[in-house]
Amino acid sequence: ARGLKVSQVYAESAPLSRELPEYLSREIQERLRVMAGVQSLPERLVTAFQPLYPDERQNEPEAGSGAEVKTDIEEDPAMRLTLVGRRRESVDCDYAVLPSTHVDPALDV
């Protein structure tokens, strides 16, 4: 069985930092890292994702994009995520879950 590498990308400085005090957000971030092996990629936004076809896999991003590609996947990745934060970068992965962010729930039901 193949191991799974999990990266969590979020715009805040720590997970759930909009909803929780800073110390709890940092504790969640540390527990995810230690207990589940989750790599945190804070203060970044996913701005694009594209499928990688067999002839595009493991290649550098488009010329002039200035993006750094990170991949730790043993087999060919299925897609490339483009992230923007302090610098532009790309992450190759097999799966991506893109939840809605910065959505305030309607509590007046």
Side-chain angles (χ1 to χ4, degrees):
R2 186 176 106 182
L4 194 61
K5 178 186 171 217
V6 177
S7 299
Q8 184 180 23
V9 180
Y10 42 89
E12 295 83 10
S13 61
L16 299 170
S17 63
R18 288 184 55 198
E19 288 77 24
L20 298 174
E22 182 72 17
Y23 75 95
L24 284 178
S25 297
R26 296 287 179 193
E27 180 66 22
I28 290 170
Q29 183 179 36
E30 184 64 13
R31 286 184 185 206
L32 285 169
R33 184 186 67 78
V34 172
M35 296 176 168
V38 175
Q39 175 190 10
S40 293
L41 299 172
E43 299 178 348
R44 293 173 176 89
L45 291 173
V46 176
T47 57
F49 65 95
Q50 68 182 46
L52 294 177
Y53 300 104
D55 58 332
E56 296 174 324
R57 294 178 181 178
Q58 302 298 333
N59 292 336
E60 290 300 314
E62 297 174 14
S65 70
E68 169 189 336
V69 176
K70 294 181 182 179
T71 184
D72 294 329
I73 300 172
E74 294 176 12
E75 297 177 14
D76 289 337
M79 69 181 70
R80 178 168 290 153
L81 302 177
T82 302
L83 310 177
V84 174
R86 292 185 184 118
R87 66 181 189 279
R88 186 173 174 183
E89 59 190 305
S90 295
V91 176
D92 290 349
C93 60
D94 288 324
Y95 303 99
V97 178
L98 302 172
S100 297
T101 58
H102 300 283
V103 176
D104 295 320
L107 302 174
D108 57 340
V109 179

